[in-house]
Amino acid sequence: MRKNEGRTVGLYTKVSPEEKAVIDEKMALLGTTNLRAYLRKMAVDGYIVQLDMGSVAELVKLLRSISSNVNQIARRCNETRNLYAQDVEDLRRGYTEVWQGIHALLKKWEAL
């Protein structure tokens, strides 16, 4: 029995030279030269992943804010030799928020 028996529906599409170059690069990474087999496999078994990088950007912004707070607190501690409970609580709250955000992102990515 031939491999392509039962395959009776033709699918045709056109791509730009840039898109073809990307396809060629991906095929080379996989070590395959059979374009039809590659495209069939990608169409049938491939994945489409859309990432919302807004969540990551928010986490980065929060981490920068926490880093700035740590630097300010460290500077004040070095000058006054005092560490205030409110400073520690602010940092603890920020770190909790970061870890919750990271946990939520990992859960989303796990579902992919």
Side-chain angles (χ1 to χ4, degrees), residues 22-101:
V22 170
I23 292 169
D24 290 342
E25 288 174 23
K26 291 183 179 189
M27 287 177 57
L29 285 172
L30 290 173
T32 185
T33 57
N34 187 330
L35 179 62
R36 288 182 180 148
Y38 170 77
L39 293 176
R40 186 180 313 107
K41 187 70 171 166
M42 290 303 295
V44 174
D45 296 334
Y47 296 100
I48 296 174
V49 178
Q50 291 182 324
L51 295 177
D52 175 15
M53 297 307 286
S55 300
V56 174
E58 286 179 33
L59 285 172
V60 169
K61 183 179 176 182
L62 183 56
L63 284 170
R64 285 184 179 148
S65 173
I66 291 170
S67 175
S68 177
N69 288 349
V70 168
N71 288 335
Q72 291 174 8
I73 292 168
R75 188 177 303 122
R76 189 173 55 235
C77 285
N78 286 331
E79 291 172 359
T80 66
R81 303 288 185 226
N82 289 323
L83 177 62
Y84 300 105
Q86 185 60 44
D87 291 337
V88 173
E89 184 54 35
D90 288 345
L91 291 175
R92 186 174 289 134
R93 200 172 317 118
Y95 283 121
T96 299
E97 193 174 335
V98 166
W99 283 115
Q100 288 171 348

